[in-house]
Amino acid sequence: MSDQTTILDTVIIGSGPAGYTAAIYASRANLNPVLITGMEPGGQLTTTTDVENFPGYPKGITGPDMMADLQSQAERFGTVVHYEYVTEVKFSKENGGLHYLKTSGGKEFQAKTIIISTGASAKYLGLEDEKKYAGSGVSACATCDGFFYRGKDVAVIGGGDTAAEEATYLAKLCNKVYLLVRKDEMRASKAMQDRVNNTHNLEVLYNHELVGLEGNLVVEKANIVNNVTNEESSLTVDGVFIAIGHTPNTTLFKDQLEMDETGYLITKDRSTATNLPGVFAAGDVQDSVYRQAITAAGTGCMAALDAERYIVEFFEN
Ligand code: NDP
């Protein structure tokens, strides 16, 4: 690290709703934050179309427009945004210690506080057609996109709690829901399986996998295979929801921060504090349950307030 490295009050890693909300609060509190966007500037919302459930937008807003608005709101108060990703972190273990970061562009920072809002990425099956129809019939979030499939037929892929939850949620909106489970049993909890089995317009297809999608610009048909008999068939559906889990973006922090067994950062009760002083986590990177833009924004606000209080306690007294 060079001796010239600037010491900042706050560096925010990640540019989704959590990161930008933290930036708005931190910059309005004169913490002069630097925000490092990561590889997908704007985060998961930039891959969705219309956002209709974020309070304050009665006519809805597109995901990319919302993220552009959040960014300009943060920049208006002085947040400096770098379009890079973080390649290295060394967190201090001491109260009042300085944290070190290096970026893909070779920039080095020292900071009194770090706010991690690197999010989580939905897992996909890896089919070419998932990319081809992304936002045009393929989604990884029923709460976000289910509304657009009201009265239509859809398929959900997966056999865990997320898939069961998404399928039962969609069954309330859609005409018919097919749930494709690759094994002959579901991994979801008994209670969730009971809900699935008691939903009249939800049909579980065990031992079935999605192999391809067809349609003129938007999904019209899902091609599936029975992996026991190898029999191929197709479902006439308007949407396919991939619900095979999420991966929190925390590889960079391994061995430094406490995580649960699936890699989500652990925060202390009713705060965004991680196990290290001055390091805070907000948004989906620490939330495997709610995973909404509004909840991410809420914890982003909390992280900025936590960072501000930490700085007052350990650097200004
Ligand atoms: P899980 O890892 O629990 O389940 C993933 C599911 O997707 C499994 O059924 C798995 O199949 C299937 N799957 C994985 N890869 C593929 C593939 N390539 N093709 C087809 N199917 C695939 O993830 P979840 O997101 O469901 O849950 C994550 C955690 O969050 C869990 O601990 C869960 O309990 C919790 N959760 C709790 C909720 C609640 O309590 N309301 C709601 C949502 C999540 P297989 O079984 O064959 O491996």
Side-chain angles (χ1 to χ4, degrees):
M1 189 187 347
S2 91
D3 292 341
Q4 306 300 316
T5 314
T6 326
I7 296 176
L8 300 166
D9 283 333
T10 301
V11 171
I12 298 164
I13 313 176
S15 56
Y20 277 126
T21 304
I24 291 164
Y25 274 77
S27 48
R28 292 188 78 252
N30 280 342
L31 300 185
N32 305 310
V34 160
L35 182 147
I36 299 161
T37 60
M39 284 195 259
E40 189 182 32
Q44 288 183 78
L45 275 186
T46 55
T47 62
T48 58
T49 47
D50 291 325
V51 180
E52 294 186 333
N53 55 8
F54 201 96
Y57 294 98
K59 295 184 180 137
I61 183 168
T62 69
D65 282 352
M66 178 191 254
M67 294 321 301
D69 281 354
L70 280 171
Q71 178 173 347
S72 55
Q73 193 174 352
E75 287 177 328
R76 177 181 154 208
F77 299 112
T79 299
V80 175
V81 176
H82 291 291
Y83 293 91
E84 296 182 48
Y85 55 92
V86 175
T87 52
E88 192 184 337
V89 290
K90 277 187 210 140
F91 294 137
S92 167
K93 295 188 174 77
E94 310 296 326
N95 280 329
L98 292 176
H99 308 292
Y100 165 82
L101 281 100
K102 192 170 180 185
T103 69
S104 49
K107 295 191 183 75
E108 294 180 283
F109 297 106
Q110 282 186 289
K112 296 171 187 170
T113 61
I114 304 281
I115 295 175
I116 299 172
S117 47
T118 47
S121 305
K123 289 186 201 161
Y124 285 89
L125 301 167
L127 300 172
E128 269 306 308
D129 286 344
E130 284 172 314
K131 287 187 209 142
K132 183 173 168 190
Y133 293 102
S136 305
V138 173
S139 168
C141 178
T143 327
C144 320
D145 298 329
F147 190 73
F148 304 116
Y149 297 91
R150 275 170 304 160
K152 297 185 172 174
D153 293 356
V154 299
V156 176
I157 319 297
D161 280 328
T162 301
E165 197 165 70
E166 302 232 331
T168 48
Y169 176 86
L170 288 165
K172 290 191 198 127
L173 301 168
C174 300
N175 175 56
K176 167 100 188 186
V177 178
Y178 299 96
L179 178 59
L180 272 67
V181 180
R182 68 177 170 183
K183 290 194 183 133
D184 61 1
E185 58 179 9
M186 291 181 72
R187 189 194 293 201
S189 62
K190 174 81 173 58
M192 292 300 285
Q193 290 194 42
D194 286 346
R195 274 173 65 184
V196 166
N197 293 330
N198 291 325
T199 304
H200 71 93
N201 58 339
L202 202 173
E203 184 181 346
V204 185
L205 301 174
Y206 289 103
N207 292 122
H208 276 82
E209 294 178 38
L210 180 73
V211 288
L213 297 165
E214 286 179 47
N216 181 18
L217 299 177
V218 294
V219 168
E220 294 168 11
K221 209 199 270 188
N223 296 326
I224 62 174
V225 66
N226 180 318
N227 58 25
V228 175
T229 62
N230 289 329
E231 192 185 331
E232 293 182 6
S233 56
S234 62
L235 302 169
T236 304
V237 288
D238 296 291
V240 172
F241 289 80
I242 313 293
I244 60 171
H246 287 76
T247 310
N249 300 317
T250 52
T251 314
L252 190 63
F253 315 115
K254 264 199 177 121
D255 304 324
Q256 296 195 63
L257 294 180
E258 274 177 23
M259 302 175 187
D260 69 13
E261 65 285 354
T262 44
Y264 285 91
L265 295 182
I266 295 173
T267 48
K268 291 184 191 152
D269 280 350
R270 293 174 58 77
S271 86
T272 59
T274 65
N275 58 306
L276 292 183
V279 181
F280 304 93
D284 287 11
V285 74
Q286 52 85 57
D287 172 19
S288 62
V289 180
Y290 299 102
R291 296 197 296 244
Q292 300 301 301
I294 187 70
T295 51
T299 53
C301 159
M302 289 164 63
L305 296 178
D306 289 341
E308 189 189 349
R309 284 179 195 143
Y310 175 87
I311 288 172
V312 170
E313 185 173 356
F314 292 105
F315 291 91
E316 292 177 7
N317 284 323

